[in-house]
Amino acid sequence: MEALLKLTWTEAKLFLREPQAFFFTLFFPLVLLFVYGGIHGNAPKLMYAGFGTVDVSVPSYTAMIIATSGLISIPVIIATYRESGVLRRFKATPLAPMALLAADVFVIFMMTTMGMLLLIVSARIVFGLRFTGNILSLALAFSLSCLSFFSLGFVLSGLMRTARTAQIVGMTLFFPMIMLSGAAIPLETMPERIRVYSNFLPLTYVVKFLKGLWFGGTWAEHGTEVLVLAGLFVLGLVVTAKTFRWD
């Protein structure tokens, strides 16, 4: 247990030294918050059912943070370890190789959570963020969303041979997805044809799920989102089991 804790602490320090993952997880959503919040404010609007731009943006930006962790952080970190031989050498240590993956998942989950909390606290202090949902229900939805995208990240890390390839593929998936899913731009402001296409993106279901629970919705009301995200999680585990390589 002590060895696992030390490993987790080491992984946390390594994550904080990675500028790309650190920036997109903790600071990029804050940049968007202050830019768009400064432009639009947070006055109630009819198109948002009486809520403000910041109110609807915070759960959406949270989805963006989750996508960052799943599509960029995990694939790049695991691919780097494989490329440098860390995964292979880890098999020779007394600590099980899966402990390294568990430590990575825990650290990335905690950093994702920290990114969400920074976003919420900043929006509350500066823009008077409103929240009408249930905290426990939202936390569980956040966890399911993380697990779903983390499993997708492990699929990418299993298929990509190098860290550079993992980064390119992750970015290629990340940017169109956040633009079309409602994570960066509210779906309410998009043309109908774009909203139809967004239904083919897994991140869209994270956005809808988190926004729905943020404003008082229940899991029962978001059965489609739950099924899609749970299915993505299971499918990711199955594909990872068949494609993941230690060397």
Side-chain angles (χ1 to χ4, degrees):
M1 187 62 174
E2 183 180 354
L4 181 58
L5 291 175
K6 289 182 178 179
L7 177 61
T8 301
W9 176 241
T10 300
E11 291 300 314
K13 290 189 289 186
L14 290 174
F15 181 91
L16 294 176
R17 292 173 185 171
E18 176 55 51
Q20 178 176 282
F22 185 74
F23 173 76
F24 278 103
T25 302
L26 299 179
F27 289 108
F28 183 62
L30 290 177
V31 172
L32 293 180
L33 172 70
F34 289 121
V35 169
Y36 285 104
I39 294 172
H40 299 287
N42 198 32
K45 296 183 178 180
L46 283 177
M47 69 162 33
Y48 300 139
F51 291 95
T53 299
V54 172
D55 297 329
V56 301
S57 295
V58 167
S60 300
Y61 293 165
T62 298
M64 184 190 305
I65 297 171
I66 293 172
T68 301
S69 298
L71 298 177
I72 299 176
S73 297
I74 287 180
V76 171
I77 289 172
I78 301 302
T80 299
Y81 285 168
R82 182 189 297 111
E83 190 176 6
S84 61
V86 171
L87 294 181
R88 183 178 63 254
R89 291 195 297 271
F90 220 78
K91 285 186 176 182
T93 68
L95 201 59
M98 287 298 296
L100 177 63
L101 302 184
D104 280 326
V105 169
F106 178 77
V107 168
I108 292 173
F109 178 79
M110 294 306 297
M111 292 301 172
T112 306
T113 303
M114 185 182 299
M116 178 186 184
L117 293 177
L118 281 173
L119 192 62
I120 291 173
V121 171
S122 300
R124 177 62 181 173
I125 293 173
V126 179
F127 299 104
L129 177 68
R130 306 172 186 89
F131 173 72
T132 58
N134 179 278
I135 293 179
L136 178 58
S137 181
L138 181 67
L140 292 175
F142 172 79
S143 299
L144 173 60
S145 300
C146 285
L147 290 174
S148 298
F149 266 78
F150 288 6
S151 70
L152 181 58
F154 274 101
V155 170
L156 293 178
S157 68
L159 296 175
M160 301 300 111
R161 291 185 174 275
T162 66
R164 183 180 293 275
T165 304
Q167 183 181 48
I168 292 172
V169 173
M171 289 287 193
T172 301
L173 293 174
F174 174 76
F175 284 108
M177 196 176 293
I178 66 169
M179 297 304 295
L180 299 176
S181 66
I185 303 171
L187 284 172
E188 293 88 346
T189 65
M190 294 184 183
E192 180 61 31
R193 64 181 182 278
I194 299 297
R195 281 183 275 178
V196 171
Y197 295 144
S198 71
N199 291 324
F200 295 97
L201 302 174
L203 190 60
T204 300
Y205 296 91
V206 177
V207 173
K208 291 181 177 179
F209 196 21
L210 295 181
K211 284 176 68 174
L213 295 184
W214 186 273
F215 299 118
T218 65
W219 279 56
E221 295 171 344
H222 293 276
T224 300
E225 287 79 14
V226 173
L227 288 175
V228 169
L229 294 176
L232 179 63
F233 172 61
V234 173
L235 179 62
L237 290 181
V238 172
V239 175
T240 298
K242 294 181 178 297
T243 62
F244 190 84
R245 306 182 310 278
W246 291 97
D247 50 30

